[in-house]
Amino acid sequence: MFLEFVVAAEIAAAYHLGIVKGYPNRNFKPDGKVTRAQIALMLHRACRQKNGMNYIEMQQAPSPNFGSYDEETINAISMLHELGIATGSDLKYMPNNPTSRAQAAKMLVNFFNELK
């Protein structure tokens, strides 16, 4: 019960800071899988929260699989690529794929090292 309260408080804080947004129906789905596009957005928004402004990418990541993603998502993926936080496999970021726990942990470590 205590752990559920702590997790709910962290989700609420991330939502309040604009790092996570949930789904259009205001459902967060805390047990759902996180796609690589979603984690890129969360890290991009965390960078904006920390620095007080959007990260400006020098160029779009060289990934042919952006599909119908919006500009914010493409910028987020490009930021991860440009900073060496996550480059994908053979320059394919695969934004629709879920992240493994290992991939998410590596992205977080790389992200925090970049913020120093």
Side-chain angles (χ1 to χ4, degrees):
M1 178 77 165
F2 176 73
L3 182 59
E4 290 174 1
F5 175 76
V6 171
V7 170
E10 291 169 343
I11 292 169
Y15 179 82
H16 177 72
L17 293 171
I19 295 170
V20 297
K21 294 189 177 187
Y23 291 89
N25 63 359
R26 303 191 70 147
N27 188 350
F28 185 71
K29 299 182 183 180
D31 293 327
K33 294 186 184 229
V34 177
T35 67
R36 296 173 58 79
Q38 291 167 329
I39 198 163
L41 281 167
M42 287 185 267
L43 293 175
H44 194 257
R45 293 171 184 152
C47 183
R48 178 178 57 224
Q49 182 65 29
K50 167 101 169 72
N51 296 328
M53 64 179 141
N54 282 329
Y55 179 88
I56 307 297
E57 298 78 22
M58 300 300 275
Q59 61 184 6
Q60 183 174 312
S63 181
N65 56 343
F66 284 134
S68 62
Y69 284 101
D70 62 13
E71 185 178 342
E72 182 186 19
T73 305
I74 293 170
N75 289 343
I77 293 167
S78 296
M79 179 193 83
L80 296 185
H81 176 79
E82 190 170 289
L83 296 177
I85 293 169
T87 57
S89 176
D90 296 326
L91 297 180
K92 293 179 183 166
Y93 187 74
M94 299 168 283
N96 287 324
N97 290 8
T99 60
S100 69
R101 292 168 65 96
Q103 290 168 333
K106 181 176 179 179
M107 283 188 252
L108 286 170
V109 167
N110 290 348
F111 177 73
F112 287 119
N113 285 335
E114 192 61 41
L115 286 182
K116 290 182 181 176

